[in-house]
Amino acid sequence: MGNRSLSWGELQQDGYAETGGNGDARTVAASHSTSLKSDLDAKLQQTWSTAYGLLSPTLGVSWRHEYQNTRLRTSAGYAAYPSGVSSFTTQHPVRLPIPGRCRWGGALQQSRQLTLSANYPVEAVSGYSAQTGSLRWQYRSWRCTSRFKNAASGAAGFLRNLRYLT
């Protein structure tokens, strides 16, 4: 199975001018930022019947390409100096492109009442990597999901996230 997507995002920040403040009032210029990206995903999944129920391991990979990723720039200055001698520009960080992502996990379903699942996605790019995990169990109308970065925080989060589904 595979998925494809194309997404476009735009952020517009209106400009404004402060008043008062004995020379500390600022004027902030409007700014604009856009993003256009495509995603291509592939997933392998197989289900086997075992003595414990239906076992479904999953392996997925995805690739993202950023076509347009403009930085948000904020220009401002003090209103008391309209000539621009006090103006400054802040260049916001560019969104980090994550070209590759891998996810593995699986589910075990016993009858139609109990399902146990675990997922572990990994994102990586030069100089950056992110790893998280999630555990989930559902019994009839009770469900608990926990996302964690290590086993100790996962157990505590698992108990905090117990919910009854209505």
Side-chain angles (χ1 to χ4, degrees):
M1 292 186 285
N3 293 316
R4 298 161 307 281
S5 68
L6 183 65
S7 58
W8 179 73
E10 179 178 27
L11 173 66
Q12 287 189 330
Q13 179 177 313
D14 293 335
Y16 61 92
E18 298 173 341
T19 58
N22 294 332
D24 288 340
R26 286 182 292 247
T27 58
V28 178
S31 57
H32 178 257
S33 176
T34 59
S35 173
L36 176 66
K37 58 187 158 219
S38 65
D39 289 299
L40 178 63
D41 302 328
K43 181 170 89 170
L44 298 172
Q45 183 174 8
Q46 178 68 41
T47 302
W48 290 285
S49 181
T50 70
Y52 300 104
L54 297 175
L55 179 63
S56 302
T58 304
L59 175 64
V61 294
S62 64
W63 181 260
R64 171 172 288 167
H65 182 73
E66 182 77 46
Y67 297 97
Q68 180 181 11
N69 188 8
T70 58
R71 265 184 193 201
L72 184 63
R73 297 174 70 178
T74 302
S75 296
Y78 290 100
Y81 302 101
S83 64
V85 296
S86 67
S87 66
F88 55 92
T89 299
T90 302
Q91 187 101 339
H92 297 266
V94 68
R95 289 177 290 280
L96 189 63
I98 307 293
R101 183 176 187 186
C102 181
R103 182 181 69 83
W104 63 267
L108 177 64
Q109 180 179 2
Q110 293 183 331
S111 69
R112 292 179 178 244
Q113 296 181 3
L114 177 62
T115 303
L116 305 170
S117 61
N119 287 298
Y120 188 74
V122 177
E123 297 176 340
V125 67
S126 179
Y128 170 83
S129 69
Q131 303 175 36
T132 57
S134 68
L135 296 172
R136 178 179 173 180
W137 67 264
Q138 183 170 339
Y139 180 74
R140 293 185 187 178
S141 295
W142 287 90
R143 176 176 64 196
C144 184
T145 302
S146 180
R147 290 179 175 26
F148 57 90
K149 292 184 180 180
N150 61 45
S153 65
F158 190 72
L159 296 174
R160 282 194 307 267
N161 292 309
L162 182 62
R163 293 191 181 97
Y164 182 74
L165 302 178
T166 56

